[in-house]
Amino acid sequence: MAISTGNRGVVYTGPGKVEVHSIAFPELSLGKRQCQHGVILKVLTTNICGSDQHMVRGRTTAPSGLVLGHEITGEIIECGRDVEFLKVGDIVSVPFNIACGRCRNCKEGRTGICLNVNPARPGAAYGYVDMGGWVGGQAEYVMVPYADFNLLKFPDSDQARDKIRDLTLLSDIFPTGFHGCVTAGVGPGSTVYIAGAGPVGLAAAVSAQLLGAACVIVGDMIPERLAQAKSFGCETIDLRQDAELPALLEQILGVPEVDAAVDCVGFEAHCHGSCHHEEKPAAVLNSMMDITRAGGQIGIPGLYVTEDPGAVDEASKQGSLSMRFGLGWAKSHSFHTGQCPVMKYHRQLMQAILFEKVQIAKAVNVQVISLDEAPKGYADFDGGAAKKFVIDPHAEFAA
């Protein structure tokens, strides 16, 4: 296979700004670190994520010039000499977590907090602030390290291309939504509340259905996103209403509580009701404790950060939030936070897609766009579009 030497990528250039720039063609290295265990991918699809949006809004310490993108599906065009079980031409899903496969946490299946791939802290990801300096994949080509361990090879390349709109979601949001539900204890017959109807929230809602939930309720403040949740059988709550959340749940369930709750909003949360324009970082966390039954579990796949330059108060700028933790303690709640360990789930979810047990692309309303349309995709997503924007860098999958 001929290997290109040109490359373009989506680059963060300052708060509110992303641009498509020429960037270096990837090599099997990161600085002085050799990555002969890695591969170079021709990127087939790469998705815009709400986590990217936090950086683009200027709500993190991301530096200008960062190449964005951690949701990647691609075709291998070059293998390092230490890659044994993959070959040129394979189509693969890339977990957004970068994991070495060798450290204690990786061996325990906790690949979201690998100890060897980020000198600053446990855990790494492509194209993300403080996550190890790995170049992002919203580009034409990208390097992926520890390929044998990390990559999920699709069993049939033609089938993978046919189902790419669904399979592209295995790199992050489908496993992340599923993880949120699993850690919230969702199972057959559960009643579930999902906070947030963005792509992760919608993926969590589908996951709750896949896990056998009896009733899935999604709360948000954007009518178009609530309509999207309703389109595949969810109950919905418009959080701009002044009524208290337990009372709104009681109208649906007959009781003011749920078995399981999943926070798919994170640190840019807003107040409910008439003050919904006001940011209140712990609003969702506190409401989750209010509406989850005693002994219930709360999954928190929504992102919370250690530094937020744009926060509403000094404490929140350091990730210190005003939680009513005593209520959670009194109700014996379990809380589960952190990055989803994608590899724990992606093969099973791939099977659910390939055997047509789930229509995840339809649920999150995938829209395929070109690389040059990425800046507009970011702007539309920031405006609350009820869509999951999937970038097609080589114009292979446009509708």
Side-chain angles (χ1 to χ4, degrees), residues 9-63:
V10 180
V11 177
Y12 169 66
T13 58
K17 296 188 292 185
V18 295
E19 299 173 2
V20 179
H21 288 183
S22 293
I23 61 174
F25 191 82
E27 298 179 352
L28 294 171
S29 64
L30 179 69
K32 296 180 180 179
R33 183 183 206 150
Q34 291 299 303
C35 297
Q36 291 298 331
H37 42 67
V39 299
I40 294 174
L41 298 183
K42 174 187 174 183
V43 177
L44 298 181
T45 53
T46 176
N47 318 326
I48 296 175
C49 181
S51 298
D52 299 319
Q53 203 73 56
H54 294 306
M55 290 188 292
V56 172
R57 291 189 190 116
R59 297 300 296 269
T60 71
T61 56

Side-chain angles (χ1 to χ4, degrees), residues 50-106:
S51 298
D52 299 319
Q53 203 73 56
H54 294 306
M55 290 188 292
V56 172
R57 291 189 190 116
R59 297 300 296 269
T60 71
T61 56
S64 177
L66 179 71
V67 181
L68 298 167
H70 57 269
E71 300 189 11
I72 308 163
T73 305
E75 179 182 5
I76 297 175
I77 62 170
E78 181 180 349
C79 292
R81 66 170 181 264
D82 298 331
V83 176
E84 293 187 71
F85 306 114
L86 297 164
K87 65 183 187 301
V88 170
D90 287 344
I91 295 179
V92 295
S93 179
V94 184
F96 79 89
N97 331 98
I98 300 171
C100 72
R102 298 151 169 82
C103 72
R104 172 182 178 173
N105 284 346
C106 284

Side-chain angles (χ1 to χ4, degrees), residues 280-304:
K280 193 171 183 180
V284 172
L285 295 172
N286 285 323
S287 68
M288 292 295 191
M289 290 184 278
D290 199 23
I291 56 106
T292 302
R293 68 175 180 85
Q297 297 169 218
I298 300 171
I300 310 173
L303 176 67
Y304 288 86

Side-chain angles (χ1 to χ4, degrees), residues 48-366:
I48 296 175
C49 181
S51 298
D52 299 319
Q53 203 73 56
H54 294 306
M55 290 188 292
V56 172
R57 291 189 190 116
R59 297 300 296 269
T60 71
T61 56
S64 177
L66 179 71
V67 181
L68 298 167
H70 57 269
E71 300 189 11
I72 308 163
T73 305
E75 179 182 5
I76 297 175
I77 62 170
E78 181 180 349
C79 292
R81 66 170 181 264
D82 298 331
V83 176
E84 293 187 71
F85 306 114
L86 297 164
K87 65 183 187 301
V88 170
D90 287 344
I91 295 179
V92 295
S93 179
V94 184
F96 79 89
N97 331 98
I98 300 171
C100 72
R102 298 151 169 82
C103 72
R104 172 182 178 173
N105 284 346
C106 284
K107 289 179 178 181
E108 292 176 355
R110 305 173 74 184
T111 53
I113 43 174
C114 173
L115 301 174
N116 289 331
V117 288
N118 182 355
R121 64 181 69 174
Y126 304 90
Y128 211 86
V129 60
D130 296 331
M131 296 299 278
W134 302 90
V135 178
Q138 285 174 14
E140 295 172 326
Y141 301 92
V142 70
M143 192 276 287
V144 173
Y146 304 104
D148 281 327
F149 181 66
N150 283 286
L151 295 179
L152 174 66
K153 175 185 171 182
F154 297 131
D156 181 275
S157 293
D158 291 336
Q159 182 188 39
R161 289 176 181 275
D162 287 343
K163 292 186 173 290
I164 196 71
R165 289 170 176 78
D166 295 279
L167 295 173
T168 190
L169 304 175
L170 291 172
S171 57
D172 182 355
I173 68 163
F174 194 9
T176 292
F178 194 85
H179 178 65
C181 289
V182 168
T183 57
V186 177
S190 297
T191 57
V192 186
Y193 177 72
I194 310 287
V200 171
L202 296 172
V206 171
S207 298
Q209 294 174 339
L210 193 60
L211 288 163
C215 183
V216 181
I217 304 166
V218 180
D220 203 289
M221 302 175 188
I222 299 175
E224 293 78 11
R225 289 184 168 181
L226 291 171
Q228 185 63 28
K230 189 170 286 190
S231 73
F232 57 92
C234 298
E235 300 288 341
T236 60
I237 292 177
D238 188 332
L239 296 172
R240 296 173 299 175
Q241 301 174 74
D242 276 325
E244 294 295 324
L245 186 55
L248 295 170
L249 287 174
E250 190 166 16
Q251 292 175 18
I252 298 169
L253 298 172
V255 293
E257 62 184 14
V258 291
D259 298 319
V262 187
D263 173 4
C264 297
V265 177
F267 74 103
E268 288 192 62
H270 285 67
C271 298
H272 300 169
S274 57
C275 66
H276 66 272
H277 294 296
E278 298 176 17
E279 191 168 302
K280 193 171 183 180
V284 172
L285 295 172
N286 285 323
S287 68
M288 292 295 191
M289 290 184 278
D290 199 23
I291 56 106
T292 302
R293 68 175 180 85
Q297 297 169 218
I298 300 171
I300 310 173
L303 176 67
Y304 288 86
V305 294
T306 55
E307 292 183 78
D308 174 9
V312 293
D313 55 59
E314 289 302 315
S316 298
K317 288 180 180 180
Q318 305 302 318
S320 180
L321 308 183
S322 181
M323 285 178 62
R324 196 182 173 196
F325 189 71
L327 177 60
W329 191 95
K331 295 175 77 173
S332 293
H333 285 155
S334 299
F335 301 83
H336 201 291
T337 67
Q339 289 185 35
C340 165
V342 169
M343 293 170 63
K344 184 174 182 179
Y345 308 106
H346 65 176
R347 183 173 298 278
Q348 302 96 305
L349 296 177
M350 175 189 74
Q351 293 289 82
I353 290 169
L354 295 180
F355 285 94
E356 299 184 350
K357 297 300 182 185
V358 65
Q359 293 181 298
I360 183 66
K362 183 177 180 182
V364 304
N365 197 19
V366 161

